[in-house]
PDB file of all heavy atoms in Angstrom:
ATOM      1  N   GLY A   1     -13.312  13.606   0.755  1.00  0.00           N
ATOM      2  CA  GLY A   1     -13.881  13.130  -0.503  1.00  0.00           C
ATOM      3  C   GLY A   1     -12.805  12.842  -1.536  1.00  0.00           C
ATOM      4  O   GLY A   1     -12.893  11.875  -2.291  1.00  0.00           O
ATOM      5  N   TYR A   2     -11.779  13.682  -1.549  1.00  0.00           N
ATOM      6  CA  TYR A   2     -10.646  13.486  -2.460  1.00  0.00           C
ATOM      7  C   TYR A   2      -9.937  12.169  -2.179  1.00  0.00           C
ATOM      8  O   TYR A   2      -9.653  11.397  -3.108  1.00  0.00           O
ATOM      9  CB  TYR A   2      -9.699  14.673  -2.321  1.00  0.00           C
ATOM     10  CG  TYR A   2      -8.273  14.431  -2.740  1.00  0.00           C
ATOM     11  CD1 TYR A   2      -7.950  14.085  -4.049  1.00  0.00           C
ATOM     12  CD2 TYR A   2      -7.234  14.562  -1.811  1.00  0.00           C
ATOM     13  CE1 TYR A   2      -6.632  13.878  -4.426  1.00  0.00           C
ATOM     14  CE2 TYR A   2      -5.922  14.363  -2.183  1.00  0.00           C
ATOM     15  CZ  TYR A   2      -5.619  14.018  -3.489  1.00  0.00           C
ATOM     16  OH  TYR A   2      -4.311  13.805  -3.856  1.00  0.00           O
ATOM     17  N   HIS A   3      -9.660  11.881  -0.926  1.00  0.00           N
ATOM     18  CA  HIS A   3      -8.983  10.623  -0.590  1.00  0.00           C
ATOM     19  C   HIS A   3      -9.850   9.413  -0.976  1.00  0.00           C
ATOM     20  O   HIS A   3      -9.348   8.414  -1.505  1.00  0.00           O
ATOM     21  CB  HIS A   3      -8.665  10.579   0.904  1.00  0.00           C
ATOM     22  CG  HIS A   3      -7.608  11.544   1.331  1.00  0.00           C
ATOM     23  ND1 HIS A   3      -6.355  11.589   0.757  1.00  0.00           N
ATOM     24  CD2 HIS A   3      -7.612  12.524   2.284  1.00  0.00           C
ATOM     25  CE1 HIS A   3      -5.632  12.541   1.330  1.00  0.00           C
ATOM     26  NE2 HIS A   3      -6.380  13.120   2.255  1.00  0.00           N
ATOM     27  N   SER A   4     -11.133   9.496  -0.714  1.00  0.00           N
ATOM     28  CA  SER A   4     -12.039   8.410  -1.077  1.00  0.00           C
ATOM     29  C   SER A   4     -12.086   8.218  -2.588  1.00  0.00           C
ATOM     30  O   SER A   4     -12.088   7.092  -3.096  1.00  0.00           O
ATOM     31  CB  SER A   4     -13.439   8.707  -0.533  1.00  0.00           C
ATOM     32  OG  SER A   4     -14.354   7.700  -0.916  1.00  0.00           O
ATOM     33  N   PHE A   5     -12.109   9.328  -3.315  1.00  0.00           N
ATOM     34  CA  PHE A   5     -12.113   9.288  -4.772  1.00  0.00           C
ATOM     35  C   PHE A   5     -10.861   8.604  -5.304  1.00  0.00           C
ATOM     36  O   PHE A   5     -10.930   7.759  -6.214  1.00  0.00           O
ATOM     37  CB  PHE A   5     -12.220  10.710  -5.312  1.00  0.00           C
ATOM     38  CG  PHE A   5     -12.027  10.840  -6.798  1.00  0.00           C
ATOM     39  CD1 PHE A   5     -12.987  10.378  -7.682  1.00  0.00           C
ATOM     40  CD2 PHE A   5     -10.883  11.448  -7.306  1.00  0.00           C
ATOM     41  CE1 PHE A   5     -12.812  10.507  -9.057  1.00  0.00           C
ATOM     42  CE2 PHE A   5     -10.705  11.580  -8.675  1.00  0.00           C
ATOM     43  CZ  PHE A   5     -11.666  11.116  -9.550  1.00  0.00           C
ATOM     44  N   MET A   6      -9.706   8.943  -4.752  1.00  0.00           N
ATOM     45  CA  MET A   6      -8.467   8.338  -5.222  1.00  0.00           C
ATOM     46  C   MET A   6      -8.415   6.850  -4.892  1.00  0.00           C
ATOM     47  O   MET A   6      -7.816   6.064  -5.633  1.00  0.00           O
ATOM     48  CB  MET A   6      -7.268   9.065  -4.621  1.00  0.00           C
ATOM     49  CG  MET A   6      -7.105  10.504  -5.106  1.00  0.00           C
ATOM     50  SD  MET A   6      -7.190  10.687  -6.910  1.00  0.00           S
ATOM     51  CE  MET A   6      -5.809   9.655  -7.435  1.00  0.00           C
ATOM     52  N   GLY A   7      -9.045   6.437  -3.783  1.00  0.00           N
ATOM     53  CA  GLY A   7      -9.141   5.007  -3.505  1.00  0.00           C
ATOM     54  C   GLY A   7      -9.936   4.299  -4.585  1.00  0.00           C
ATOM     55  O   GLY A   7      -9.560   3.209  -5.046  1.00  0.00           O
ATOM     56  N   SER A   8     -11.029   4.916  -5.029  1.00  0.00           N
ATOM     57  CA  SER A   8     -11.833   4.342  -6.110  1.00  0.00           C
ATOM     58  C   SER A   8     -11.040   4.302  -7.409  1.00  0.00           C
ATOM     59  O   SER A   8     -11.089   3.315  -8.152  1.00  0.00           O
ATOM     60  CB  SER A   8     -13.112   5.171  -6.303  1.00  0.00           C
ATOM     61  OG  SER A   8     -13.928   5.138  -5.150  1.00  0.00           O
ATOM     62  N   VAL A   9     -10.301   5.370  -7.682  1.00  0.00           N
ATOM     63  CA  VAL A   9      -9.478   5.426  -8.883  1.00  0.00           C
ATOM     64  C   VAL A   9      -8.453   4.295  -8.889  1.00  0.00           C
ATOM     65  O   VAL A   9      -8.266   3.605  -9.905  1.00  0.00           O
ATOM     66  CB  VAL A   9      -8.765   6.796  -8.979  1.00  0.00           C
ATOM     67  CG1 VAL A   9      -7.652   6.764 -10.029  1.00  0.00           C
ATOM     68  CG2 VAL A   9      -9.775   7.891  -9.309  1.00  0.00           C
ATOM     69  N   GLY A  10      -7.800   4.075  -7.761  1.00  0.00           N
ATOM     70  CA  GLY A  10      -6.805   3.002  -7.679  1.00  0.00           C
ATOM     71  C   GLY A  10      -7.415   1.636  -7.911  1.00  0.00           C
ATOM     72  O   GLY A  10      -6.815   0.786  -8.595  1.00  0.00           O
ATOM     73  N   ARG A  11      -8.610   1.397  -7.382  1.00  0.00           N
ATOM     74  CA  ARG A  11      -9.266   0.090  -7.572  1.00  0.00           C
ATOM     75  C   ARG A  11      -9.689  -0.119  -9.021  1.00  0.00           C
ATOM     76  O   ARG A  11      -9.605  -1.230  -9.539  1.00  0.00           O
ATOM     77  CB  ARG A  11     -10.449  -0.037  -6.627  1.00  0.00           C
ATOM     78  CG  ARG A  11     -10.038  -0.262  -5.169  1.00  0.00           C
ATOM     79  CD  ARG A  11     -11.213  -0.527  -4.263  1.00  0.00           C
ATOM     80  NE  ARG A  11     -12.024   0.662  -4.038  1.00  0.00           N
ATOM     81  CZ  ARG A  11     -11.771   1.563  -3.094  1.00  0.00           C
ATOM     82  NH1 ARG A  11     -10.708   1.421  -2.305  1.00  0.00           N
ATOM     83  NH2 ARG A  11     -12.563   2.609  -2.926  1.00  0.00           N
ATOM     84  N   VAL A  12     -10.123   0.962  -9.689  1.00  0.00           N
ATOM     85  CA  VAL A  12     -10.487   0.834 -11.099  1.00  0.00           C
ATOM     86  C   VAL A  12      -9.236   0.568 -11.936  1.00  0.00           C
ATOM     87  O   VAL A  12      -9.239  -0.275 -12.839  1.00  0.00           O
ATOM     88  CB  VAL A  12     -11.220   2.098 -11.589  1.00  0.00           C
ATOM     89  CG1 VAL A  12     -11.453   2.039 -13.105  1.00  0.00           C
ATOM     90  CG2 VAL A  12     -12.568   2.236 -10.875  1.00  0.00           C
ATOM     91  N   PHE A  13      -8.147   1.267 -11.646  1.00  0.00           N
ATOM     92  CA  PHE A  13      -6.899   1.021 -12.375  1.00  0.00           C
ATOM     93  C   PHE A  13      -6.437  -0.428 -12.199  1.00  0.00           C
ATOM     94  O   PHE A  13      -5.845  -1.013 -13.118  1.00  0.00           O
ATOM     95  CB  PHE A  13      -5.801   1.967 -11.891  1.00  0.00           C
ATOM     96  CG  PHE A  13      -5.753   3.281 -12.611  1.00  0.00           C
ATOM     97  CD1 PHE A  13      -5.656   4.471 -11.895  1.00  0.00           C
ATOM     98  CD2 PHE A  13      -5.782   3.339 -13.996  1.00  0.00           C
ATOM     99  CE1 PHE A  13      -5.603   5.697 -12.553  1.00  0.00           C
ATOM    100  CE2 PHE A  13      -5.739   4.554 -14.664  1.00  0.00           C
ATOM    101  CZ  PHE A  13      -5.649   5.739 -13.932  1.00  0.00           C
ATOM    102  N   SER A  14      -6.679  -1.010 -11.025  1.00  0.00           N
ATOM    103  CA  SER A  14      -6.237  -2.388 -10.781  1.00  0.00           C
ATOM    104  C   SER A  14      -6.970  -3.390 -11.667  1.00  0.00           C
ATOM    105  O   SER A  14      -6.520  -4.528 -11.818  1.00  0.00           O
ATOM    106  CB  SER A  14      -6.444  -2.761  -9.303  1.00  0.00           C
ATOM    107  OG  SER A  14      -7.826  -2.851  -8.989  1.00  0.00           O
ATOM    108  N   GLU A  15      -8.083  -2.974 -12.272  1.00  0.00           N
ATOM    109  CA  GLU A  15      -8.859  -3.855 -13.131  1.00  0.00           C
ATOM    110  C   GLU A  15      -8.467  -3.726 -14.598  1.00  0.00           C
ATOM    111  O   GLU A  15      -8.985  -4.455 -15.437  1.00  0.00           O
ATOM    112  CB  GLU A  15     -10.353  -3.537 -12.971  1.00  0.00           C
ATOM    113  CG  GLU A  15     -10.871  -3.753 -11.555  1.00  0.00           C
ATOM    114  CD  GLU A  15     -12.265  -3.186 -11.351  1.00  0.00           C
ATOM    115  OE1 GLU A  15     -12.866  -2.704 -12.350  1.00  0.00           O
ATOM    116  OE2 GLU A  15     -12.758  -3.216 -10.211  1.00  0.00           O
ATOM    117  N   TRP A  16      -7.587  -2.797 -14.898  1.00  0.00           N
ATOM    118  CA  TRP A  16      -7.161  -2.626 -16.285  1.00  0.00           C
ATOM    119  C   TRP A  16      -6.307  -3.819 -16.711  1.00  0.00           C
ATOM    120  O   TRP A  16      -5.642  -4.461 -15.891  1.00  0.00           O
ATOM    121  CB  TRP A  16      -6.350  -1.348 -16.448  1.00  0.00           C
ATOM    122  CG  TRP A  16      -7.211  -0.112 -16.477  1.00  0.00           C
ATOM    123  CD1 TRP A  16      -8.398   0.077 -15.847  1.00  0.00           C
ATOM    124  CD2 TRP A  16      -6.930   1.110 -17.158  1.00  0.00           C
ATOM    125  NE1 TRP A  16      -8.873   1.334 -16.088  1.00  0.00           N
ATOM    126  CE2 TRP A  16      -7.998   1.990 -16.882  1.00  0.00           C
ATOM    127  CE3 TRP A  16      -5.881   1.539 -17.965  1.00  0.00           C
ATOM    128  CZ2 TRP A  16      -8.052   3.282 -17.410  1.00  0.00           C
ATOM    129  CZ3 TRP A  16      -5.923   2.833 -18.470  1.00  0.00           C
ATOM    130  CH2 TRP A  16      -6.999   3.689 -18.207  1.00  0.00           C
ATOM    131  N   GLY A  17      -6.300  -4.109 -17.997  1.00  0.00           N
ATOM    132  CA  GLY A  17      -5.486  -5.204 -18.509  1.00  0.00           C
ATOM    133  C   GLY A  17      -4.010  -4.926 -18.331  1.00  0.00           C
ATOM    134  O   GLY A  17      -3.590  -3.779 -18.171  1.00  0.00           O
ATOM    135  N   ASP A  18      -3.217  -5.993 -18.365  1.00  0.00           N
ATOM    136  CA  ASP A  18      -1.778  -5.838 -18.142  1.00  0.00           C
ATOM    137  C   ASP A  18      -1.015  -5.538 -19.420  1.00  0.00           C
ATOM    138  O   ASP A  18       0.209  -5.480 -19.425  1.00  0.00           O
ATOM    139  CB  ASP A  18      -1.199  -7.093 -17.485  1.00  0.00           C
ATOM    140  CG  ASP A  18      -1.491  -8.363 -18.294  1.00  0.00           C
ATOM    141  OD1 ASP A  18      -2.087  -8.258 -19.385  1.00  0.00           O
ATOM    142  OD2 ASP A  18      -1.124  -9.456 -17.809  1.00  0.00           O
ATOM    143  N   SER A  19      -1.733  -5.365 -20.535  1.00  0.00           N
ATOM    144  CA  SER A  19      -1.084  -4.993 -21.787  1.00  0.00           C
ATOM    145  C   SER A  19      -1.997  -4.036 -22.543  1.00  0.00           C
ATOM    146  O   SER A  19      -3.210  -4.013 -22.344  1.00  0.00           O
ATOM    147  CB  SER A  19      -0.788  -6.229 -22.648  1.00  0.00           C
ATOM    148  OG  SER A  19      -1.993  -6.840 -23.070  1.00  0.00           O
ATOM    149  N   LEU A  20      -1.397  -3.258 -23.425  1.00  0.00           N
ATOM    150  CA  LEU A  20      -2.149  -2.246 -24.151  1.00  0.00           C
ATOM    151  C   LEU A  20      -3.213  -2.865 -25.036  1.00  0.00           C
ATOM    152  O   LEU A  20      -4.295  -2.315 -25.218  1.00  0.00           O
ATOM    153  CB  LEU A  20      -1.193  -1.401 -24.993  1.00  0.00           C
ATOM    154  CG  LEU A  20      -1.765  -0.154 -25.665  1.00  0.00           C
ATOM    155  CD1 LEU A  20      -2.369   0.773 -24.621  1.00  0.00           C
ATOM    156  CD2 LEU A  20      -0.680   0.565 -26.447  1.00  0.00           C
ATOM    157  N   SER A  21      -2.942  -4.054 -25.582  1.00  0.00           N
ATOM    158  CA  SER A  21      -3.904  -4.700 -26.462  1.00  0.00           C
ATOM    159  C   SER A  21      -5.162  -5.119 -25.729  1.00  0.00           C
ATOM    160  O   SER A  21      -6.209  -5.321 -26.316  1.00  0.00           O
ATOM    161  CB  SER A  21      -3.269  -5.926 -27.126  1.00  0.00           C
ATOM    162  OG  SER A  21      -2.877  -6.873 -26.144  1.00  0.00           O
ATOM    163  N   ARG A  22      -5.080  -5.258 -24.383  1.00  0.00           N
ATOM    164  CA  ARG A  22      -6.231  -5.653 -23.590  1.00  0.00           C
ATOM    165  C   ARG A  22      -6.777  -4.505 -22.762  1.00  0.00           C
ATOM    166  O   ARG A  22      -7.615  -4.689 -21.898  1.00  0.00           O
ATOM    167  CB  ARG A  22      -5.847  -6.794 -22.644  1.00  0.00           C
ATOM    168  CG  ARG A  22      -5.427  -8.068 -23.330  1.00  0.00           C
ATOM    169  CD  ARG A  22      -4.862  -9.044 -22.319  1.00  0.00           C
ATOM    170  NE  ARG A  22      -5.799  -9.284 -21.224  1.00  0.00           N
ATOM    171  CZ  ARG A  22      -5.461  -9.892 -20.086  1.00  0.00           C
ATOM    172  NH1 ARG A  22      -4.217 -10.277 -19.893  1.00  0.00           N
ATOM    173  NH2 ARG A  22      -6.358 -10.078 -19.138  1.00  0.00           N
ATOM    174  N   SER A  23      -6.302  -3.307 -23.053  1.00  0.00           N
ATOM    175  CA  SER A  23      -6.601  -2.193 -22.168  1.00  0.00           C
ATOM    176  C   SER A  23      -7.889  -1.461 -22.497  1.00  0.00           C
ATOM    177  O   SER A  23      -8.363  -0.676 -21.706  1.00  0.00           O
ATOM    178  CB  SER A  23      -5.452  -1.175 -22.207  1.00  0.00           C
ATOM    179  OG  SER A  23      -5.422  -0.530 -23.451  1.00  0.00           O
ATOM    180  N   ARG A  24      -8.472  -1.698 -23.677  1.00  0.00           N
ATOM    181  CA  ARG A  24      -9.626  -0.903 -24.058  1.00  0.00           C
ATOM    182  C   ARG A  24     -10.899  -1.480 -23.468  1.00  0.00           C
ATOM    183  O   ARG A  24     -11.212  -2.639 -23.642  1.00  0.00           O
ATOM    184  CB  ARG A  24      -9.731  -0.856 -25.582  1.00  0.00           C
ATOM    185  CG  ARG A  24     -10.813   0.113 -26.058  1.00  0.00           C
ATOM    186  CD  ARG A  24     -10.819   0.197 -27.559  1.00  0.00           C
ATOM    187  NE  ARG A  24     -11.808   1.177 -28.016  1.00  0.00           N
ATOM    188  CZ  ARG A  24     -12.041   1.430 -29.291  1.00  0.00           C
ATOM    189  NH1 ARG A  24     -11.362   0.807 -30.215  1.00  0.00           N
ATOM    190  NH2 ARG A  24     -12.948   2.311 -29.635  1.00  0.00           N
ATOM    191  N   ARG A  25     -11.617  -0.626 -22.781  1.00  0.00           N
ATOM    192  CA  ARG A  25     -12.892  -1.032 -22.205  1.00  0.00           C
ATOM    193  C   ARG A  25     -13.997  -0.543 -23.128  1.00  0.00           C
ATOM    194  O   ARG A  25     -13.986   0.566 -23.615  1.00  0.00           O
ATOM    195  CB  ARG A  25     -13.069  -0.411 -20.821  1.00  0.00           C
ATOM    196  CG  ARG A  25     -14.297  -0.941 -20.131  1.00  0.00           C
ATOM    197  CD  ARG A  25     -14.719  -0.031 -19.025  1.00  0.00           C
ATOM    198  NE  ARG A  25     -13.596   0.650 -18.400  1.00  0.00           N
ATOM    199  CZ  ARG A  25     -13.416   0.663 -17.101  1.00  0.00           C
ATOM    200  NH1 ARG A  25     -14.212   0.040 -16.309  1.00  0.00           N
ATOM    201  NH2 ARG A  25     -12.422   1.356 -16.580  1.00  0.00           N
ATOM    202  N   HIS A  26     -14.997  -1.394 -23.381  1.00  0.00           N
ATOM    203  CA  HIS A  26     -16.074  -1.042 -24.281  1.00  0.00           C
ATOM    204  C   HIS A  26     -17.308  -0.663 -23.497  1.00  0.00           C
ATOM    205  O   HIS A  26     -17.710  -1.368 -22.572  1.00  0.00           O
ATOM    206  CB  HIS A  26     -16.413  -2.228 -25.205  1.00  0.00           C
ATOM    207  CG  HIS A  26     -15.299  -2.609 -26.121  1.00  0.00           C
ATOM    208  ND1 HIS A  26     -15.140  -2.052 -27.365  1.00  0.00           N
ATOM    209  CD2 HIS A  26     -14.272  -3.467 -25.967  1.00  0.00           C
ATOM    210  CE1 HIS A  26     -14.072  -2.567 -27.952  1.00  0.00           C
ATOM    211  NE2 HIS A  26     -13.535  -3.426 -27.121  1.00  0.00           N
ATOM    212  N   SER A  27     -17.912   0.450 -23.886  1.00  0.00           N
ATOM    213  CA  SER A  27     -19.193   0.812 -23.312  1.00  0.00           C
ATOM    214  C   SER A  27     -20.259  -0.071 -23.940  1.00  0.00           C
ATOM    215  O   SER A  27     -20.058  -0.631 -25.009  1.00  0.00           O
ATOM    216  CB  SER A  27     -19.496   2.280 -23.598  1.00  0.00           C
ATOM    217  OG  SER A  27     -19.671   2.476 -24.984  1.00  0.00           O
ATOM    218  N   PRO A  28     -21.445  -0.233 -23.308  1.00  0.00           N
ATOM    219  CA  PRO A  28     -22.506  -1.043 -23.900  1.00  0.00           C
ATOM    220  C   PRO A  28     -22.869  -0.580 -25.299  1.00  0.00           C
ATOM    221  O   PRO A  28     -23.094  -1.390 -26.190  1.00  0.00           O
ATOM    222  CB  PRO A  28     -23.670  -0.850 -22.916  1.00  0.00           C
ATOM    223  CG  PRO A  28     -23.015  -0.551 -21.615  1.00  0.00           C
ATOM    224  CD  PRO A  28     -21.795   0.254 -21.969  1.00  0.00           C
ATOM    225  N   ARG A  29     -22.920   0.737 -25.513  1.00  0.00           N
ATOM    226  CA  ARG A  29     -23.280   1.228 -26.842  1.00  0.00           C
ATOM    227  C   ARG A  29     -22.230   0.865 -27.863  1.00  0.00           C
ATOM    228  O   ARG A  29     -22.524   0.460 -28.980  1.00  0.00           O
ATOM    229  CB  ARG A  29     -23.452   2.753 -26.788  1.00  0.00           C
ATOM    230  CG  ARG A  29     -23.828   3.358 -28.127  1.00  0.00           C
ATOM    231  CD  ARG A  29     -23.966   4.861 -28.019  1.00  0.00           C
ATOM    232  NE  ARG A  29     -25.014   5.222 -27.087  1.00  0.00           N
ATOM    233  CZ  ARG A  29     -25.293   6.485 -26.792  1.00  0.00           C
ATOM    234  NH1 ARG A  29     -24.605   7.470 -27.357  1.00  0.00           N
ATOM    235  NH2 ARG A  29     -26.256   6.760 -25.928  1.00  0.00           N
TER     236      ARG A  29
END
């Protein structure tokens, strides 16, 4: 489960912006 979790973590990190100004993700609220 740990290895699978870290795979998910890596894929989510790959979707982060390439600069700090684009890094903030907004929740719907």
Side-chain angles (χ1 to χ4, degrees):
Y2 157 62
H3 291 305
S4 178
F5 171 71
M6 293 311 300
S8 297
V9 166
R11 287 186 289 274
V12 173
F13 272 133
S14 69
E15 299 169 5
W16 283 31
D18 56 3
S19 66
L20 189 57
S21 61
R22 297 171 54 193
S23 70
R24 188 176 183 181
R25 187 199 328 231
H26 296 271
S27 66
R29 180 181 299 178

